[in-house]
Amino acid sequence: MPRLKLCADDSRAAGEDPIGTAPHWAEVTVLELDVPMWARLRDVNAWTAEQQDVFAALRGKVEASGAGFGLLMSAPTTPGRTLCVRHYTLNDGALNNGGTVGGGYVRRDYASDLPQSDWARGLHDTLLDPSALTGGDWTERPAPAGPDLHVCTHGTVDAACGRYGVPVYQALGGAGVRAWRTGHFGGHRFAATAVELPSGLLWAHLTPELAVQVARREVTPAQVAGHLRGFAGLPPLAQLLDRHLLVQHGWDWLNRARRATVETHPDGEHTVTLTASGPHGPETYRAPVLTAAPLHLRGSSHSGDTAPVRQFTLGTVTACAGHA
C-alpha cells in the first residue's frame, strides 16, 4: 500500500483559505503536562469517575451558556514539575465601559503542589469554580508579558503536526519567543498550526521563518492573511470580517475588544455584524459572508478519505452610520 501524503500538504496544494476554522472560545485553560500525560488525558476510557464528572459538568456549561472553552496541553519547561495552569478569559470589558484597549484574552497563572495526574482539578477550578483558585491548593503567580505560541507537535495524533510543528517550535525558542510544545487542538491539515495567546489568533501552515516573523510582528497582516485561521474570541463566520478589519487597521486592531453576531438567512447565506472598541467609542461594521465552492480534502494524514471543506468569501464591508 503506498504511503499517504500528509494532509497539510494537500491543504496547501489546494490553496485552502483557513479563515473561519478557529474554534470559538470564551476562555482557555492551559494545563502544563509532560508529553506522556497527554495520551492519558486523551484516553477517555481510562478516566476516573472524578474526571468523567468534570467533563460532564463542562458539557453542561457549554450547553447552558453557548460559550465554548479551549483546553490546551503544553509541556512544562521543567519536566516532572507539579501541576500548573494558565487561565485566559476573553477581554471584552472595553466594550462595556467605553474604553479603547482590551483585545484578546487576559492571562492569570496558578501553581500548585498537586501532581500532574490531578489535571481534572485544574479544569474544574479554572472553568467551573474559579473561587477555588483563591488560597487552598493554588498560588497565583505574576503572568509574564508578551505572546505565547502554542504549537501543535502531537505527531502521534497526526504525522503532519510532528513533521511541521516541531521545527516551528524549535525556531521560535531559538529566536527567544516563548513557545510551547502543545498537544492536539484540532486542524491537522493546517500544520504547522499554532494558538497565539493572549491575542487569541490561530495560525495555519507556518514555516519556522514565518512563525518568528509573525510572533515579532515583522510582517503586515496583509502579508500573512492567508495563514490566519481566525480570532477565537468570535464565531467562525465572524472571523472573516475580523480578518478584513485586521488587514485594514494593522496589528493595532488586536488591542480592540470585539464581539459579533451572525445572522443566517433563508437562502443559507449569512450577515455578520461586528462591534469593536474604538478611539471615540464603539464602532460597528457589517458584511455578508457568501458560500464559495467547497474543497474536498483529507482531515488526517492517516486516512485516505476526503470530505467537503467549506470555503467562504466576504462581501462588501460597511461601517454602520453613527456606529453602535
Side-chain angles (χ1 to χ4, degrees):
M1 180 176 178
R3 183 176 180 180
L4 293 171
K5 292 173 58 180
L6 297 178
C7 59
D9 293 342
D10 291 347
S11 173
R12 283 193 298 271
E16 180 182 6
D17 185 353
I19 192 62
T21 64
H24 185 194
W25 294 333
E27 55 188 324
V28 184
T29 290
V30 183
L31 300 172
E32 294 190 18
L33 302 176
D34 294 334
V35 174
M37 190 65 65
W38 298 358
R40 293 174 60 182
L41 190 152
R42 289 174 54 84
D43 186 0
V44 176
N45 294 326
W47 284 353
T48 66
E50 177 192 10
Q51 292 163 350
Q52 293 172 7
D53 289 345
V54 167
F55 273 95
L58 287 171
R59 285 192 294 270
K61 175 182 177 178
V62 171
E63 292 171 358
S65 67
F69 65 90
L71 165 59
L72 300 178
M73 302 176 292
S74 290
T77 54
T78 303
R81 67 180 298 179
T82 53
L83 182 64
C84 295
V85 299
R86 305 192 297 279
H87 186 217
Y88 294 83
T89 52
L90 191 62
N91 185 9
D92 62 0
L95 280 172
N96 296 329
N97 61 28
T100 59
V101 177
Y105 294 77
V106 177
R107 170 179 169 173
R108 301 186 76 170
D109 288 17
Y110 301 91
S112 78
D113 292 326
L114 299 170
Q116 292 183 19
S117 57
D118 274 356
W119 51 262
R121 283 283 305 279
L123 291 178
H124 176 273
D125 292 353
T126 53
L127 299 174
L128 295 172
D129 184 15
S131 65
L133 296 168
T134 303
D137 292 312
W138 300 102
T139 300
E140 184 169 3
R141 294 184 174 175
D148 288 85
L149 273 292
H150 301 81
V151 185
C152 183
T153 61
H154 211 162
T156 57
V157 174
D158 194 282
C161 295
R163 170 66 178 82
Y164 295 120
V166 171
V168 164
Y169 162 75
Q170 292 172 334
L172 288 166
V177 177
R178 201 162 53 241
W180 302 83
R181 291 184 62 192
T182 303
H184 168 67
F185 50 78
H188 310 305
R189 69 181 187 274
F190 300 122
T193 182
V195 179
E196 178 188 321
L197 291 166
S199 71
L201 300 182
L202 272 76
W203 296 100
H205 298 149
L206 293 174
T207 64
E209 179 183 14
L210 183 59
V212 173
Q213 292 173 329
V214 166
R216 292 176 171 173
R217 303 297 190 242
E218 295 175 344
V219 286
T220 67
Q223 290 173 307
V224 292
H227 293 268
L228 185 60
R229 295 180 59 184
F231 169 45
L234 296 175
L237 291 182
Q239 294 164 11
L240 279 84
L241 178 53
D242 188 64
R243 179 177 69 173
H244 171 89
L245 295 167
L246 172 63
V247 169
Q248 184 179 72
H249 292 273
W251 293 117
D252 284 345
W253 178 255
L254 302 180
N255 292 326
R256 301 189 184 200
R258 291 102 76 197
R259 64 173 63 137
T261 57
V262 178
E263 179 184 1
T264 301
H265 306 295
D267 62 1
E269 301 295 357
H270 312 272
T271 298
V272 173
T273 302
L274 186 151
T275 300
S277 58
H280 306 293
E283 301 174 358
T284 298
Y285 303 85
R286 185 171 292 120
V289 175
L290 309 174
T291 302
L295 300 174
H296 292 269
L297 297 171
R298 293 181 300 126
S300 168
S301 299
H302 307 156
S303 171
D305 296 333
T306 64
V309 172
R310 298 191 306 170
Q311 296 281 270
F312 300 95
T313 59
L314 191 67
T316 302
V317 177
T318 58
C320 300
H323 297 299

